[in-house]
Amino acid sequence: MTFSFSLVLVWLDLAGVFFFAVSGSLLAARKQFDIIGSLLLASVVSLGGGVIRDIIINAGPPVAFTNPAYLAPPLLATVLVYFLFSSVQRFTSLLVLFDAGGLALFCITGTLKALAAGMNPVAAVLLGVTTAVGGGLLRDITANEVPQLFDPKDIYALPAFAGAASTAILSLTGTFTAVSATAVTAVVFAFRVTAWRRHWHAPLAVRGWHRLGLGTAENGR
Amino acid sequence: MTFSFSLVLVWLDLAGVFFFAVSGSLLAARKQFDIIGSLLLASVVSLGGGVIRDIIINAGPPVAFTNPAYLAPPLLATVLVYFLFSSVQRFTSLLVLFDAGGLALFCITGTLKALAAGMNPVAAVLLGVTTAVGGGLLRDITANEVPQLFDPKDIYALPAFAGAASTAILSLTGTFTAVSATAVTAVVFAFRVTAWRRHWHAPLAVRGWHRLGLGTAENGR
Amino acid sequence: MTFSFSLVLVWLDLAGVFFFAVSGSLLAARKQFDIIGSLLLASVVSLGGGVIRDIIINAGPPVAFTNPAYLAPPLLATVLVYFLFSSVQRFTSLLVLFDAGGLALFCITGTLKALAAGMNPVAAVLLGVTTAVGGGLLRDITANEVPQLFDPKDIYALPAFAGAASTAILSLTGTFTAVSATAVTAVVFAFRVTAWRRHWHAPLAVRGWHRLGLGTAENGR
């Protein structure tokens, strides 16, 4: 990995951090948290997945703590949401779009970082998925909601898995380039957003069960 | 520790992973999560306790990420619950039985792994308990439920503590054998299942308080 | 850092552990958990923040697992709350006072430990705040409550940040003494308790929004 390539990786990672941070501040706004809660939730969702990844790789303190640049996106997101946001209607759409952007970037950067740290390909894909879904999972757990990850009327983890697996294959076959990376990002983003818009869903955990009671208190929401 | 002994340890650990994974998929089914959520919850509950233990021991990446064999039990559990499960009635009983099996095996393997990593006996017992109850705690937190661990009409952590402490004493006195290990497993399993069936419970957190309001919204359920 | 100074640091840290442990046992009592749940919640809140800090610093197993002295405060707190507590009325006040004591001590000891481990000042302040608010966050997540940290009618993280930043500045300028440390502790404690008593609050996450619906189901409580 050349120096310029790892610099691109840091910028992509910071972009993913920013997207997730905005989703955190938007959720804080929807839950009527204050501006400090907005900053905290933005930090948890944007830095949490990467911190978990770095703790698991176990090669020194997480980059979010050693590189202060990682603190800029949550601060920026909190300020932007505070000043620019005014309409209640578009919350969920915006939250999903920013979340999907973070997901698309993190499943790539997480997998590449794990491969660069010498993890085996299966573990690298797992860590890519963990990086991508971990922050959102922490966000929902912290805000005391049933994680979006488990919403049976939506598909969330599969796009991240597809992106992480593609990244690992491209990287191991030496075909991971700016073009293929952009393609993976676009496909994961489109997959995630379309799954949400069209209410794509996977089969329930038990074969043959009807989807009765979904959307009611029964499914834990 | 001879090679064959550590191989037995891996198999016992994988059996514990499988039991906990089934409990995760059963909870996912009861909460009407989809099959991806079933796989994720099975992975969290079956691998979470061991990942926390390995992160705390701090000797390289957690085994669940370095040994792909640990991914087989959650996959298997998800498929089994999907195809074999059909009745709604037996959910809770089955969940408790599989959970108790995982608890009984993990308090032993967790303690042995911590001792093998050079932790002191008190820390090893703590890590054994953490391994055994950590996955279930993560499962309930992730699924946004009050953890089973805190149910005042049940006893959950005590069997794990008894098993971990027995394992540490047997191991340090050189009397940890196939026979004594089987005995510990059986006692922990029986203790846990009987506590659940007979509604054994510990005293409340404050002396002299009556058990009024239990089972109502008051206790946070 | 001389030997006597680091010994003082351990005692301050243990005092913080004790304060947080009492807050955990009090919450367990209010939620009608049993005495084992009281011990577990006391352990999570009092040791959780430090365990997260030590995992992030990544210099060996967390001190809570290597030094058995750290297990004494949760045990003591559980026993004290069990025997001495009888009135339901004073729960919240007492919980906030003990929690504020832990917060005031942990933002100092957490920052000093991070600096001693060679983290940069920004990371040290972050880790001080993480140590101080992490245990309480884990306590509320574990007990399935919306974290106190996000209560928009209260200020929680700001006193911890002020204390951690002051500690870092005092330490780096060589003016961290028994007197200045006591002053920081007192100010953080007074800031936190006054913020709670007077219902000080920060602006909401979005500018110009009215504080309608606060205190209702809308804000997620």
Side-chain angles (χ1 to χ4, degrees), chain B residues 55-58 119-120 122-123 126-127 130 137 141 144-147 149-152 154-155 157-158 202-207 209-210 212-214 218-220, chain C residues 25 28-38 40-41 51 55 58-62 64-66 68 71 78 81-83 85-88 91 141-144:
Chain B
I55 286 174
I56 287 173
I57 290 177
N58 198 22
M119 307 290 284
N120 70 60
V122 175
L126 263 185
L127 280 168
T130 302
L137 186 63
I141 288 174
N144 203 17
E145 306 222 315
V146 174
L149 197 56
F150 294 125
D151 187 337
D154 196 359
I155 284 180
L158 216 52
L204 287 187
V206 175
R207 188 179 56 154
W209 275 21
H210 298 296
L212 296 175
L214 289 188
E218 268 293 287
N219 65 7
Chain C
S25 287
R30 193 174 72 191
K31 294 197 75 119
Q32 299 198 289
F33 289 166
D34 61 28
I35 197 164
I36 303 172
S38 176
L40 290 170
L41 207 54
V51 168
I55 286 174
N58 198 22
F65 284 88
T66 55
L71 304 180
T78 304
V81 167
Y82 181 73
F83 282 109
F85 206 73
S86 58
S87 153
V88 187
F91 259 127
I141 288 175
T142 306
N144 204 16

Side-chain angles (χ1 to χ4, degrees), chain B residues 19-103:
Chain B
F19 286 135
F20 268 127
V22 172
S23 84
S25 287
L26 286 172
L27 182 63
R30 193 174 72 190
K31 293 196 76 118
Q32 297 198 290
F33 289 166
D34 62 28
I35 196 164
I36 304 172
S38 176
L39 177 61
L40 290 171
L41 207 54
S43 305
V44 162
V45 64
S46 63
L47 305 176
V51 167
I52 295 175
R53 177 199 60 216
D54 292 350
I55 286 174
I56 287 173
I57 290 177
N58 198 22
V63 67
F65 283 87
T66 55
N67 182 353
Y70 277 81
L71 304 179
L75 277 167
L76 185 61
T78 304
V79 170
L80 283 178
V81 167
Y82 181 73
F83 282 109
L84 298 183
F85 207 74
S86 57
S87 154
V88 187
Q89 272 93 349
R90 298 224 154 260
F91 259 127
T92 311
S93 311
L94 265 180
L95 204 159
V96 169
L97 287 178
F98 277 95
D99 187 88
L103 193 79

Side-chain angles (χ1 to χ4, degrees), chain A residues 190-201:
Chain A
F191 184 0
R192 168 70 194 117
V193 173
T194 311
W196 174 73
R197 277 191 175 281
R198 301 276 170 92
H199 297 291
W200 284 354
H201 49 254

Side-chain angles (χ1 to χ4, degrees), chain A residues 63-151:
Chain A
V63 67
F65 284 87
T66 55
N67 183 352
Y70 277 81
L71 305 179
L75 277 166
L76 185 61
T78 304
V79 170
L80 283 178
V81 167
Y82 180 73
F83 282 110
L84 298 182
F85 207 74
S86 58
S87 153
V88 188
Q89 272 93 349
R90 299 225 153 261
F91 259 128
T92 311
S93 310
L94 266 181
L95 204 159
V96 169
L97 287 179
F98 276 96
D99 187 88
L103 193 78
L105 289 169
F106 270 17
C107 64
I108 296 176
T109 60
T111 306
L112 292 177
K113 284 196 178 187
L115 285 172
M119 306 290 284
N120 69 60
V122 175
V125 171
L126 263 185
L127 280 169
V129 175
T130 301
T131 312
V133 310
L137 186 62
L138 285 180
R139 175 192 60 206
D140 297 339
I141 288 174
T142 306
N144 204 17
E145 306 222 316
V146 174
Q148 201 176 356
L149 196 56
F150 294 124
D151 188 338

Side-chain angles (χ1 to χ4, degrees), chain C residues 44-139:
Chain C
V44 163
V45 64
S46 62
L47 305 176
V51 168
I52 295 176
R53 177 200 59 215
D54 293 349
I55 286 174
I56 288 173
I57 290 177
N58 198 22
V63 67
F65 284 88
T66 55
N67 183 352
Y70 277 81
L71 304 180
L75 277 167
L76 184 61
T78 304
V79 170
L80 284 178
V81 167
Y82 181 73
F83 282 109
L84 299 183
F85 206 73
S86 58
S87 153
V88 187
Q89 272 94 350
R90 298 224 153 261
F91 259 127
T92 311
S93 311
L94 265 181
L95 204 159
V96 170
L97 287 179
F98 277 96
D99 187 88
L103 193 78
L105 289 169
F106 271 16
C107 64
I108 295 176
T109 59
T111 306
L112 291 177
K113 284 195 179 188
L115 285 173
M119 306 291 284
N120 70 60
V122 175
V125 171
L126 263 185
L127 279 169
V129 175
T130 302
T131 312
V133 309
L137 186 61
L138 285 180
R139 176 193 59 205

